[in-house]
């Protein structure tokens, strides 16, 4: 089969499941570390590649938190956000819903209004200067419990920045049942936000059902275990509830033990709207283009198949209809031009 790498690299794409701090590349972390010399994080990008080599999941969390600790001021927030968009532009990502955990920043003492201003300033600059449309998903860090849920909901509903479109739930699933977050999702949904919790990444299909029934999920973050329940797959397919699949992340966190046995094939075979995403790309040693290449290999796709996958993300996004039509049109035009060569 032809090498799809150059086709994927130039393909206009949308990304629906990617975390803010988790997108900090060694280049960005190095800039942030240089601003805070008291941090133990290296400033040399070469040393950072080693720093980002994880021995296990606990080590990943430790490194992740050390990067969270580098985001201390509204200027850090703006720099991180804008530079993440720059890395997206390099991959021809035209649109991204970036999952932000504002609780991590406000708890560290960043003024909440200044935080919102910083992300919005970066969003405006990313769109005009880089051609990347950003929208936000504010997510509850599930491990921080109901206090974090309350704070995240308040920030989302009361301070709602213009780019905010959705409300999520991340962190560990084991020991953090989804139904307890129902009242917070009810408030966010009533305020007009879309529901996009992580579910079924490290637990079984019941967690996905909980996310659908209690949190009224419109898309599912990961849903890796969904193929264990054919009735669930049929439900997802029938209601066009997209799965945000992040193959390399699933391998890195051991949600799947072998990439070649990733359940993305069963998801697609069942007619589920599957989207491909990168989650915490530099931390998992990947980027969206790599994830598309992985998916293309697993699904045996050609250029048109990859383009269809890219259009799934546009369809499942919360962009307005005109914006969706424009990016889908770009994907088609690029693909036809490529195949005509
Ligand atoms: Zn995630």
């Amino acid at each position: 089969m032809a090498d799809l790498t150059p086709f994927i690299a130039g393909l206009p794409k949308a990304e629906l499941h990617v975390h803010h701090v988790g997108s900090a590349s060694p280049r960005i972390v190095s800039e942030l570390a240089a601003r805070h010399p008291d941090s133990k994080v290296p400033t040399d990008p070469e040393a950072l590649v080693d720093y980002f080599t994880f021995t296990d999941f606990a080590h990943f969390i430790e490194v992740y938190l050390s990067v969270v600790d580098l985001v201390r001021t509204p200027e850090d927030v703006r720099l991180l956000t804008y530079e993440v968009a720059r890395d997206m532009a390099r991959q021809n990502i035209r649109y991204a819903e970036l999952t932000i955990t504002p609780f991590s920043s406000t708890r560290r003492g960043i003024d909440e209004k200044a935080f919102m201003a910083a992300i919005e300033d970066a969003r405006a600059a990313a769109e005009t200067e880089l051609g990347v449309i950003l929208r936000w998903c504010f997510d509850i860090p599930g491990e921080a419990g109901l206090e974090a849920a309350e704070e995240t909901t308040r920030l989302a509903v009361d301070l709602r920045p213009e780019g905010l479109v959705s409300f999520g739930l991340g962190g560990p699933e084991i020991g953090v049942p989804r139904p307890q977050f129902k009242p917070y999702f009810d408030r966010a949904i009533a305020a007009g936000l879309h529901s996009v919790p992580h579910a079924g990444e490290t637990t079984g299909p019941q967690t996905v059902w909980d996310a659908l029934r209690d949190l009224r999920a419109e898309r599912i973050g990961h849903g890796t275990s969904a193929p264990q329940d054919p009735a669930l797959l049929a439900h997802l397919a029938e209601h066009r509830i997209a799965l945000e699949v992040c193959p390399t992340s699933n391998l890195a966190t051991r949600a799947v033990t072998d990439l070649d046995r990733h359940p993305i094939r069963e998801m697609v075979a069942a007619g589920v709207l599957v989207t491909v995403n990168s989650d915490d790309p530099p931390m998992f040693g990947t980027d969206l283009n790599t994830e598309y290449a992985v998916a293309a290999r697993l699904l045996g796709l050609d250029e048109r198949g990859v383009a269809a996958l890219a259009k799934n993300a546009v369809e499942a996004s919360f962009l307005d209809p005109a914006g969706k039509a424009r990016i889908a049109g770009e994907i088609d035009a690029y693909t036809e031009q490529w195949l005509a060569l």
Side-chain angles (χ1 to χ4, degrees):
M1 190 184 284
D3 177 16
L4 292 170
T5 309
F7 173 77
I8 291 169
L11 180 69
K13 289 171 289 285
E15 179 153 43
L16 307 180
H17 189 124
V18 59
H19 295 264
H20 188 219
V21 171
S23 297
S25 59
R27 175 182 71 79
I28 299 172
V29 174
S30 143
E31 280 189 52
L32 289 168
R35 291 167 65 96
H36 303 295
D38 62 307
S39 155
K40 64 178 165 63
V41 178
T43 53
D44 170 27
E46 304 249 311
L48 271 164
V49 174
D50 288 338
Y51 188 75
F52 273 3
T53 304
F54 308 116
T55 51
D56 56 21
F57 191 65
H59 184 219
F60 161 70
I61 296 291
E62 188 187 318
V63 171
Y64 187 91
L65 292 176
S66 74
V67 176
V68 171
D69 185 54
L70 288 175
V71 183
R72 300 181 190 174
T73 69
E75 293 73 39
D76 297 335
V77 173
R78 191 206 181 274
L79 181 143
L80 169 64
T81 314
Y82 184 80
E83 294 302 325
V84 165
R86 194 198 299 277
D87 288 343
M88 288 175 168
R90 288 200 186 110
Q91 299 179 72
N92 281 304
I93 296 174
R94 294 276 192 271
Y95 171 84
E97 292 173 15
L98 195 57
T99 297
I100 297 184
T101 313
F103 179 74
S104 304
S105 294
T106 57
R107 183 185 47 179
R108 277 179 167 72
I110 298 182
D111 177 79
E112 57 196 44
K113 292 203 172 80
F115 179 89
M116 302 302 165
I119 58 172
E120 285 295 310
D121 188 55
R123 185 171 74 85
E127 192 164 332
T128 53
E129 295 164 19
L130 305 170
V132 178
I133 300 170
L134 290 177
R135 295 289 184 267
W136 319 125
C137 168
F138 278 5
D139 83 326
I140 301 169
E143 72 281 7
L146 298 185
E147 181 209 347
E150 175 60 39
E151 176 74 351
T152 306
T153 310
R154 187 184 65 77
L155 292 167
V157 172
D158 294 354
L159 271 78
R160 184 174 179 171
E162 212 183 311
L164 184 64
V165 292
S166 61
F167 196 72
L169 170 60
E173 290 175 40
I174 296 166
V176 188
R178 311 286 96 170
Q180 64 182 316
F181 299 103
K182 181 179 188 318
Y184 307 98
F185 274 77
D186 283 346
R187 277 160 61 195
I189 292 166
L193 298 175
H194 298 281
S195 169
V196 289
H198 287 57
E201 177 187 14
T202 52
T203 59
Q206 183 56 45
T207 309
V208 180
W209 283 118
D210 290 346
L212 293 169
R213 287 170 178 157
D214 292 308
L215 310 182
R216 290 184 273 162
E218 293 167 70
R219 292 197 314 248
I220 297 288
H222 296 289
T224 318
S225 63
Q228 294 169 21
D229 181 348
L232 174 59
L233 279 190
H235 179 91
L236 295 169
E238 184 190 344
H239 296 276
R240 294 299 269 175
I241 295 167
L243 295 178
E244 302 160 0
V245 176
C246 312
T248 300
S249 161
N250 291 157
L251 185 67
T253 62
R254 302 272 160 220
V256 302
T257 51
D258 180 350
L259 205 49
D260 287 327
R261 278 192 231 135
H262 194 285
I264 189 170
R265 286 194 197 91
E266 287 96 306
M267 296 166 177
V268 169
V272 177
L273 185 60
V274 166
T275 67
V276 170
N277 305 273
S278 65
D279 210 6
D280 301 298
M283 301 200 177
F284 295 137
T286 191
D287 59 19
L288 188 60
N289 288 340
T290 305
E291 296 308 286
Y292 267 77
V294 168
R297 181 172 65 78
L298 293 176
L299 297 169
L301 302 177
D302 60 8
E303 286 88 348
R304 282 192 213 282
V306 172
L309 206 53
K311 284 168 77 175
N312 283 357
V314 176
E315 177 185 340
S317 77
F318 301 126
L319 188 58
D320 59 274
K324 285 187 183 187
R326 194 181 64 249
I327 300 177
E330 281 180 34
I331 292 170
D332 285 338
Y334 171 83
T335 306
E336 293 316 314
Q337 196 180 10
W338 181 276
L339 292 173
L341 286 177

